[in-house]
Amino acid sequence: YTFTDIKNFSPFSLLGLFNPDELETWAAYLLSCVNLFEVLFICSLAYQLAPLTGMSFSESLKITLLSSGSGLFLWISFVIFLVVSFTA
C-alpha cells in the first residue's frame, strides 16, 4: 500500500464509490464525511432521544437531523472553505 491509499481510506463512506485520485480534494473530503457511522450515530441519537422526551422516533429523528446535521454541515462547509482557500 502507498501513503495515498492510507490517506484516502474511508471505510463505509461514499468515497469508496469513486476513485479519490480523480476527485478534487474538497469533493473527496465531502464524500468521506458521508458514511455509515454518521448515519448510525444520528439514528442512535434519535432512538435514545425519543423515550427521554416522550416523542415518537420520527419526531426525534427530525430534531436530531436539524441539530446534529446542521452542525455537521457547518463543519464540512468550513473545512471545504479552508481547503479551497489554501490550495488555490
Side-chain angles (χ1 to χ4, degrees):
Y1 295 105
T2 65
F3 178 71
T4 307
D5 293 334
I6 295 170
K7 183 183 88 164
N8 292 330
F9 179 69
S10 295
F12 306 114
S13 72
L14 290 179
L15 185 61
L17 301 175
F18 301 94
N19 184 1
D21 298 329
E22 296 175 358
L23 295 172
E24 296 285 336
T25 307
W26 64 268
Y29 179 75
L30 175 64
L31 292 173
S32 70
C33 286
V34 180
N35 59 42
L36 182 64
F37 300 116
E38 288 292 334
V39 173
L40 289 175
F41 174 71
I42 289 175
C43 288
S44 173
L45 274 176
Y47 180 75
Q48 295 175 16
L49 183 66
L52 288 175
T53 59
M55 293 186 285
S56 67
F57 176 74
S58 62
E59 291 173 335
S60 64
L61 183 62
K62 189 184 304 182
I63 289 175
T64 306
L65 282 173
L66 288 173
S67 59
S68 183
S70 62
L72 181 63
F73 174 76
L74 289 173
W75 174 253
I76 291 172
S77 300
F78 175 69
V79 171
I80 288 175
F81 171 76
L82 291 178
V83 167
V84 169
S85 296
F86 290 117
T87 57

